[in-house]
Amino acid sequence: MIEFRDVHKHYADYHALRGISATIREGEFFSLLGPSGCGKTTLLRTIAGFEDISSGAVLIDGRDMAQVPANVRPTNMVFQSYAIFPHLTVAQNVGFGLRRDRRGRMEKDRAVAEALEMVGLGGYGARAAHALSGGQRQRVALARALILKPKVLLLDEPLSALDRKMREQMQVELIKLQRQVGITFVLVTHDQEEALVMSDRIAVMFEGEIAQLDEPEALYARPVDRRVADFIGVMNFLPAEVLGDGGEVVAVRIAGLGIVEIPAAQISRAMPGDPGPSVGFRPETMTLLGAGEEPRGAVQVSRGVIDEVVYYGDMTYYDIRLEGMGEAVEPVRISMRNVFGRDVPAVGIPVRVAWSPGALVLFR
Amino acid sequence: MAARGLDREARQGLALVAPPFAYVLLVMAAPLLVMLATSLFLFKTGYREYVEGFTLANYLQVWADPIFRALMLRSLWVAGLVTLATVVLAFPVAYFLSFVVSPQRKALWLFLITIPFWTSYLIRVFLWSVILAPNGVVNSILDFFGLIERPLRMLNSVEAIVVTLSHAYAPFAILPIFVALERIDRALLEAGRDLGENRVMTFLRVTLPLAMPGVVAAALIVFIPTIGDYVTPTLIGGGRVPMIANMIQSQMLDQDNRPLGSAIAVTAMLVVAVLAAVFMALNRRFLKVRA
Amino acid sequence: MRPNWLGAYALLYLLFLYAPILLLPLFAFNDATIVAFPLRGFTTQWFGEMWENATLRRALGNSLIIAGSSAVLSTCLGIFAARASTRFRFPAKGGIMGAIMLPLVLPEIIVAMSLLVVLLSIGVTLSIVTVIVGHTLICMPYAITVLTTAFASLDPAFEEAAQDLGESKWGAFRLVILPLVMPGIISALLISFTVSLDEFIIAFFLAGNQPTLPTYIFSQLRFPASIPMIMALGTVLVLLSIVMLTIAEYFRRRGAARTGQNDRGFL
Ligand SMILES: Nc1ncnc2c1ncn2[C@@H]1O[C@H](COP(=O)(O)OP(=O)(O)OP(=O)(O)O)[C@@H](O)[C@H]1O
Ligand SMILES: [Mg+2]
């Protein structure tokens, strides 16, 4: 549907896109995720036609877009600032793109009314645009773009200006809307949670490159390198020493966890800046065992001392210093769902933790 | 990193500024160049007689001319006094506008201050001659209270010119200072107080240095045009205290010596440019703060 | 206590600014041929004289033509410059914009003299057209100042949104940018008009034998007998400028309110 072929973008003094190659599929909810300044907006704008690329190609439906100006591309955009025209009414804003449409006045009015209905703003047509709330502007921007039935809807951090409640509500609405209209959505965000919640697939970008393009689950469970692992959710890293490589499995000695065999499927790249091989795992893959509690399933048990307790209401983070992990390594963070009536262990108490080798990722 | 020619944005931008820029080149820059060329390549030897060819004779004549030196010095003196007066008088007003007036009323104050500036310059200048005349407002008031026996002679003097010009250019001084003061982060002032300075010291050590770019801009914006003022010496000076503009005009038109007139104009502009550059250099450390 | 002192000073300063202008109506309605205190009595004679003065009417006509043309020309050129400076990055931008704004500080006598020399040497007859040429130059920086504020307050996404919705560059300009900066344009027109209407030096040297309001006023200041009438004229002109500036300010603020930026006075 949308294809990037080795796209580069140079600004006068900055190399903003460094060889982007990727394909966005028809009808999927696709997100561009990455830290500020990594080039997400720039990449999105090359699809819309607001940014000339320095080399490479952007194709939509197999057609090279190089000579196609923004106003005739089959894409529409929801701008970060929404860009609702302040001198027009809500209906005039939504109907803005219909000017060149051959349909009669009545039909256009009906289309506008339908579009407003779709985003939950039925009856707001006559309102002045500058008298809308943030959430309402956002909906007008959506209606204005969707009324033109684009093949792709581009959204640049559309939720970042909203407060938390509103943002969560709009996330759900956007997912529903995408299913309803069935077109490709490309969303830019720097909020990993938002990307995980909403997307079919996510491209994680760093410094003008796509580091990993995957489904949310895969991205979370199997990050390709430490940067991605670090950016998505919380990940613990422990230094590891590779003892032997048997092809199918690699034997490593992990500070605090002992000697473990890790299957090849759980091995990712180390980055040039990394301190050496390391093993990562998510906080929820380890369990704190209560006194006398026996671990269930094929798991291993390690001992440690609670270093810090961070209470979050529904759950608690425990930072634990494992036996034999050494002073130089940060304590590992474990998350536990809080159970009503059960005590939260305090700092300084010796504990046992259960973990499974299947949850470890080796970066080498 | 690819070295490339002008990108699309640069081309569009240049295409867009082209009309106004071409107009300025044609109507301002070209005539100034012609003026420069006239002063360097023509020399008047008699009635409608000129020698062509590169010459510095006009400039030598200008610098040797005691009248030129006297008028240039007077113009600089007047402009300097006017600049000092306007900036010193304006600073407290700008400070008041920025720090005391409530945000909703700032626009109104600014509007009130700028209005007189937009109203007939000529008549405003002339009114000062009414105010300062022997039978004018000041003398009438002094006389009414029996403070004087004979009317004071105030017209046709450098002082009268300075008063008039200070009045005329007042808003020019307020606005840049006001803008500089507005830009000061109020937290900085609180930080100053917080670090144990009293109000006066905070003003001297924080506010004033940060306002300096505005003060420098105000000084230049008043100084440069006042040097070349023509109307005030004519109306208030009564022709008896001419300034450099009057000399340029008289050489150009009355004496019909355009090469010499051009040389005077160019010299005056150079003097002003050098002074402005020196002034900016002296205030470099203030101007750098925000760069 | 300090704010009160400052406030008092600011009020005094305002009085100083307005003092000469406040004298205008006093003498305009004063029943005496000499402009001096004490005042004699009330008359509207000077306004009548002004009304019947044929040269004055011609000067007014010329001035209106000059101010109208210069306002339109300088605002049109100003739109180009303001748009380029707010929306585009291009080489030598600082230098180019600096040159365009230079007439703001260049003494008018220099502008007038250099233009005069060129015009005379290429044999152009001095007329109101030559004044328009000069006035357009000096009005342009004022127009640009106002227009730049108007253009700069626009979210660049407005233009892109319009293009994204299918409009060409020109369509986006016409349907979105232009309506949004219209208050700024009107304000720039009025301010340029006011500047031109009031400009004396360039008109004095470049108008040939055509009178404009300021040059006519200047010529009459030499005759004590005409001065009361000039005071009446001045009163009218001051009122006129105040009305125009108030309208300009109204449009400027409306533009600011519309695009939702905070307010900062002119200049
Ligand atoms: N017009 C420009 N000229 C020069 N550099 C630019 C320009 N626009 C963007 N950049 C640079 O390109 C890089 C990528 O910018 P981009 O706006 O795509 O980042 P982003 O990933 O969207 O970040 P954010 O989350 O902050 O919006 C940034 O480092 C930015 O400074
Ligand atoms: Mg961005």
Side-chain angles (χ1 to χ4, degrees), chain B residues 159-234:
Chain B
E159 291 78 7
I161 294 182
V162 170
V163 169
T164 308
L165 283 174
S166 302
H167 180 260
Y169 283 90
F172 270 116
I174 292 186
L175 291 171
I177 300 176
F178 170 74
V179 170
L181 288 173
E182 282 287 276
R183 280 201 204 138
I184 297 179
D185 184 352
R186 298 312 194 243
L188 286 179
L189 305 183
E190 284 161 15
R193 300 288 307 275
D194 187 55
L195 293 171
E197 300 285 18
N198 61 24
R199 271 182 199 280
V200 175
M201 287 311 285
T202 304
F203 176 80
L204 289 180
R205 293 189 52 189
V206 183
T207 315
L208 199 55
L210 288 175
M212 273 317 275
V215 173
V216 171
L220 288 177
I221 232 170
V222 172
F223 187 77
I224 299 175
T226 34
I227 288 242
D229 194 81
Y230 175 86
V231 172
T232 307
T234 311

Side-chain angles (χ1 to χ4, degrees), chain A residues 11 13-14 16 35-43 80 157 190, chain C residues 89:
Chain A
Y11 289 113
D13 50 359
Y14 192 75
S36 185
C38 69
K40 310 175 295 280
T41 299
T42 310
L43 189 60
Q80 184 164 8
E157 310 219 6
H190 61 254
Chain C
R89 274 190 277 188

Side-chain angles (χ1 to χ4, degrees), chain A residues 75-97:
Chain A
T75 62
N76 282 112
M77 184 137 163
V78 173
F79 290 81
Q80 184 164 8
S81 59
Y82 309 142
I84 303 299
F85 304 129
H87 60 302
L88 303 178
T89 62
V90 167
Q92 284 169 328
N93 262 286
V94 174
F96 190 88

Side-chain angles (χ1 to χ4, degrees), chain A residues 220 234-236 281-289 308-312 314-320 332-339 342 353-354:
Chain A
Y220 189 77
V234 179
M235 192 155 226
N236 293 295
F281 59 91
R282 300 284 181 194
E284 68 277 10
T285 60
M286 281 201 174
T287 320
L288 211 55
L289 294 175
E308 187 72 74
V309 176
V310 187
Y311 181 71
Y312 267 85
D314 59 338
M315 60 151 215
T316 305
Y317 277 129
Y318 300 93
D319 290 350
I320 293 173
V332 298
R333 174 159 282 198
I334 293 177
S335 68
M336 293 285 289
R337 189 145 283 289
N338 290 330
V339 178
R342 190 199 281 178
V353 293

Side-chain angles (χ1 to χ4, degrees), chain A residues 128-307:
Chain A
H130 60 252
L132 295 177
S133 73
Q136 291 168 334
R137 274 161 201 265
Q138 148 115 68
R139 289 158 198 267
V140 174
L142 274 169
R144 185 174 74 175
L146 288 173
I147 197 173
L148 299 176
K149 307 217 178 333
K151 290 190 175 139
V152 187
L153 184 70
L154 308 171
L155 306 111
D156 190 357
E157 310 219 6
L159 307 179
S160 63
L162 305 179
D163 61 48
R164 197 184 163 133
K165 264 248 166 64
M166 193 71 196
R167 193 156 63 223
E168 282 166 5
Q169 182 188 338
M170 282 309 292
Q171 286 175 357
V172 177
E173 282 190 35
L174 271 180
I175 300 171
K176 280 194 192 145
L177 198 61
Q178 197 254 347
R179 294 213 184 105
Q180 183 188 339
V181 295
I183 62 173
T184 313
F185 276 32
V186 182
L187 172 88
V188 161
T189 178
H190 61 254
D191 180 344
Q192 44 108 6
E193 223 171 280
E194 184 171 297
L196 292 176
V197 169
M198 299 172 76
S199 323
D200 294 321
R201 289 196 307 152
I202 301 171
V204 182
M205 292 181 68
F206 289 103
E207 291 170 10
E209 292 177 60
I210 293 182
Q212 184 169 8
L213 198 175
D214 241 323
E215 278 148 24
E217 300 79 17
L219 210 56
Y220 189 77
R222 278 289 329 275
V224 293
D225 60 36
R226 272 186 72 154
R227 267 190 320 183
V228 175
D230 229 1
F231 191 72
I232 310 260
V234 179
M235 192 155 226
N236 293 295
F237 294 103
L238 290 172
E241 183 190 343
V242 178
L243 301 173
D245 190 340
E248 293 280 289
V249 291
V250 174
V252 290
R253 177 185 291 133
I254 306 164
L257 297 183
I259 297 174
V260 182
E261 289 193 333
I262 295 181
Q266 280 162 241
I267 299 177
S268 292
R269 287 193 303 272
M271 297 301 286
D274 290 353
S278 58
V279 154
F281 59 91
R282 300 284 181 194
E284 68 277 10
T285 60
M286 281 201 174
T287 320
L288 211 55
L289 294 175
E293 185 182 344
E294 283 309 308
R296 268 162 286 167
V299 295
Q300 309 203 13
V301 177
S302 298
R303 295 175 177 281
V305 175
I306 297 182
D307 196 66

